[in-house]
Amino acid sequence: MESIDWKNLPFGYLKTDYNIRCQFKDGKWGSLEVSSSEYFNIHIAATGLHYGQEVFEGLKAYRGKDNKIRLFRCRDNAQRMFDSGSYIQMAAPPVDLFVEAVQKAVKLNERFVPPYESGATLYVRPLLIGTGAQVGVKPADEYLFVVFTTPVGPYFKTGFKPLDVMITRNSDRAAPLGTGHVKVGGNYAAGLTAGVAAQQLGYASCLYLDAKEKKYIDECGPANFFGIKNNTYITPDSKSILPSITNRSLMTLAQDLGIKVERRPIEVPELETFEEAGACGTAAVITPIKKIFDPETNKVYDYGSEAGPVSVKLYNLLRAIQYGDAEDTHGWITFVE
Ligand code: PLP
Ligand code: COI
């Protein structure tokens, strides 16, 4: 194998050996197929191309000190893909089929699971698309489920170093009763302009507000948002954000550590009162926030250039569980054997 510089991997696509595919046809799922091609043929009238019948997931495989490979909360990603697909009228793989496909994809690409302590992981990307042809706006009757893998470094270049984000007020990634709570590709399309605009101004990401009132914090690019004050972990309660598995895990770990947890709407001015702020997700892990810029008021909320103590504690515990360095007391780990 060409040698990979594990320590300097970007969050990008690198070809691995195999991907897994499964077709839904005639009302049922077929068997898992192994492919070494990075391409598939698709009908020109597939609903995935025209009407946005496309959902995806993201999870990671971690190599421990014991050399074992662990998946983190894989069944939760499976359930979320099922919920996302069902929400837009797709046939979605049952949880067990999803887990089996992920296990198989990781096992077959085992040599791409980065070494322990390299800072890199094997990112797993399950994808579900409508492949059946329709011209009228209707759900497809055929679907393709694909799982591919790619070794990745940190999503945000700074890794665990705090970064700057910017509040977005002139566009929405999801409507109040829309698809923000499910992982459909269209949400990411809707957010591209705001993301690019923030990056052009030197910010790592945009921070979305609720679409209806522009009063509350929603989420931070491809990650959930949290703030810390008075030994309390505070994260938005919103119907238009993705229910992050990382965020859910951090809420549980915070409680384990004796930190209070509040899930409730966060009004923009409350940003002033936080001692720490951060973004969390599979790709982002915990990415601490240094500054939040609000273009409407020109206000800058500053949390300092070093990660705060609560973020550090949560980050270390989450990573320790994912890599097998701390006991998996919540049953979150599945081994790839
Ligand atoms: N929010 C959005 C919009 C995302 O794309 C992601 C990534 O999946 C998250 C939040 C974080 O979710 P999770 O922790 O399940 O990866
Ligand atoms: C993830 O955190 O897995 C994501 O899906 C984020 C992004 C790369 C879309």
Side-chain angles (χ1 to χ4, degrees):
M1 176 165 81
E2 65 294 356
S3 66
I4 295 179
D5 182 5
W6 302 110
K7 282 195 155 58
N8 293 303
L9 272 181
F11 190 93
Y13 180 80
L14 205 76
K15 187 181 187 309
T16 55
D17 291 334
Y18 302 103
N19 56 81
I20 304 298
R21 299 158 183 224
C22 188
Q23 289 195 55
F24 181 89
K25 217 174 161 177
D26 301 323
K28 56 180 192 301
W29 287 100
S31 49
L32 298 181
E33 285 160 29
V34 178
S35 172
S36 54
S37 168
E38 293 167 283
Y39 298 91
F40 49 71
N41 276 323
I42 189 163
H43 193 286
I44 54 174
T47 62
L49 299 178
H50 296 259
Y51 302 131
Q53 274 204 312
E54 186 275 311
V55 302
F56 71 98
E57 269 304 325
L59 66 156
K60 284 173 171 173
Y62 307 82
R63 191 184 291 281
K65 206 187 280 176
D66 54 9
N67 215 28
K68 290 188 179 155
I69 300 170
R70 292 163 173 82
L71 296 169
F72 185 70
R73 304 193 73 166
C74 181
R75 297 187 75 82
D76 293 282
N77 290 95
Q79 186 62 51
R80 192 170 63 190
M81 175 169 269
F82 190 86
D83 295 342
S84 299
S86 303
Y87 190 73
I88 58 166
Q89 300 297 322
M90 303 173 79
V95 169
D96 287 338
L97 183 66
F98 178 106
V99 173
E100 193 189 337
V102 168
Q103 291 258 15
K104 204 164 177 163
V106 174
K107 183 70 195 165
L108 288 171
N109 294 299
E110 204 169 350
R111 69 193 185 101
F112 292 97
V113 183
Y116 177 71
E117 272 183 343
S118 62
T121 50
L122 187 70
Y123 186 70
V124 182
R125 173 53 66 86
L127 170 74
L128 175 68
I129 51 171
T131 47
Q134 296 286 10
V135 179
V137 182
K138 280 187 281 228
D141 50 12
E142 291 181 10
Y143 293 86
L144 177 66
F145 170 51
V146 180
V147 180
F148 72 79
T149 64
T150 184
V152 295
Y155 188 77
F156 292 111
K157 275 202 294 288
T158 51
F160 194 57
K161 283 294 269 177
L163 46 73
D164 295 346
V165 303
M166 178 186 146
I167 292 179
T168 293
R169 289 179 179 276
N170 56 1
S171 80
D172 298 313
R173 71 176 273 284
L177 297 175
T179 52
H181 65 295
V182 288
K183 208 164 165 62
V184 306
N187 294 342
Y188 298 82
L192 282 176
T193 297
V196 169
Q199 277 158 18
Q200 280 171 347
L201 292 171
Y203 296 91
S205 179
C206 50
L207 183 61
Y208 295 105
L209 303 182
D210 76 284
K212 196 169 173 186
E213 294 183 86
K214 296 280 182 298
K215 193 170 160 191
Y216 305 102
I217 304 297
D218 243 4
E219 59 184 333
C220 190
N224 277 183
F225 174 86
F226 67 86
I228 309 280
K229 66 176 168 189
N230 306 326
N231 198 39
T232 308
Y233 178 97
I234 305 162
T235 192
D237 185 15
S238 162
K239 289 198 165 38
S240 54
I241 64 177
L242 192 75
S244 155
I245 295 161
T246 312
N247 196 4
R248 214 186 310 153
S249 308
L250 293 175
M251 287 189 255
T252 302
L253 296 179
Q255 277 164 335
D256 291 352
L257 291 168
I259 298 160
K260 280 184 273 181
V261 172
E262 291 177 13
R263 196 164 154 257
R264 57 163 172 81
I266 299 174
E267 289 191 27
V268 175
E270 192 180 358
L271 292 175
E272 184 95 79
T273 67
F274 292 139
E275 296 150 16
E276 302 173 33
C280 64
T282 298
V285 195
I286 285 183
T287 304
I289 294 174
K290 180 161 75 181
K291 286 182 186 152
I292 301 174
F293 170 60
D294 186 340
E296 187 172 88
T297 55
N298 266 331
K299 205 167 164 52
V300 176
Y301 303 93
D302 193 334
Y303 305 102
S305 52
E306 291 300 325
V310 175
S311 301
V312 170
K313 245 196 263 178
L314 287 170
Y315 178 86
N316 288 340
L317 182 53
L318 177 70
R319 303 290 279 169
I321 294 171
Q322 290 170 333
Y323 284 94
D325 293 332
E327 199 191 334
D328 173 28
T329 52
H330 298 285
W332 288 339
I333 299 297
T334 314
F335 288 95
V336 176
E337 276 148 352

